Amino acid sequence: MRRYLVGVSVYLLDSGSDNVLLLRRCRSSDFEAHRWEPVSGRAEPGEDLAGAARRETFEETHLRIGSMAPFDTFMLERLPGEFLHGVAFAAAVSSGNLGLSPEHDSSVWVSYSDLSTGRTPRLATGVQETLKVLISRWSSVVGMLGGG
């Protein structure tokens, strides 16, 4: 039996710099253990995707986001027969102090320069492809967020 889920990924951009936040999944994770990813999660029943992006960001990082813009869609088979369809957002951090949920054990701000040349930690499935889209649309995405 196939199962279809709807989710979001949120690429947080640090205001005033060209850095993107990545989080490392805990070793005990049921999916992609100890790999790096943006904020991500499933939408709850009745929740719109922008709301899911804001909620997941706060739950996973303790950060609040201001402006955000969708820049890509994705689909991946999370587990055999379980498919996650989602929207990737870029978002500007508006407030808060970075903290981590129990899902993650580390975080790192990765520079645009490192992202664009592939100097990244070991990424979760699909993240490299979405990062390529973000890099290719960087100027317009940053402009939509009110920077540059």
Side-chain angles (χ1 to χ4, degrees), residues 12-14 17 19-22 63 93 98 107-111:
L12 293 172
L13 280 65
D14 187 24
S17 71
N19 295 328
V20 174
L21 182 66
L22 294 177
L63 298 172
V93 174
L98 181 60
S107 64
V108 64
W109 289 97
V110 181
S111 71

Side-chain angles (χ1 to χ4, degrees), residues 2-73:
R2 291 181 181 221
R3 183 175 173 204
Y4 297 92
L5 307 167
V6 177
V8 296
S9 61
V10 185
Y11 291 79
L12 293 172
L13 280 65
D14 187 24
S15 61
S17 71
D18 285 338
N19 295 328
V20 174
L21 182 66
L22 294 177
L23 309 172
R24 186 173 65 191
R25 296 185 67 80
C26 291
R27 287 192 188 276
S28 61
S29 176
D30 67 342
F31 179 69
E32 301 283 340
H34 235 234
R35 291 199 179 211
W36 294 84
E37 64 179 358
V39 167
S40 62
R42 297 179 217 156
E44 294 179 353
E47 183 178 41
D48 66 48
L49 294 178
R54 290 182 190 286
R55 177 185 51 76
E56 286 289 345
T57 297
F58 187 75
E59 287 177 1
E60 293 187 6
T61 67
H62 305 214
L63 298 172
R64 300 233 182 250
I65 54 179
S67 57
M68 63 184 199
F71 70 90
D72 196 19
T73 59

Side-chain angles (χ1 to χ4, degrees), residues 82-111:
E82 183 179 275
F83 298 89
L84 179 68
H85 296 262
V87 174
F89 290 90
V93 174
S94 67
S95 65
N97 294 311
L98 181 60
L100 296 176
S101 72
E103 294 176 54
H104 300 98
D105 62 13
S106 189
S107 64
V108 64
W109 289 97
V110 181
S111 71

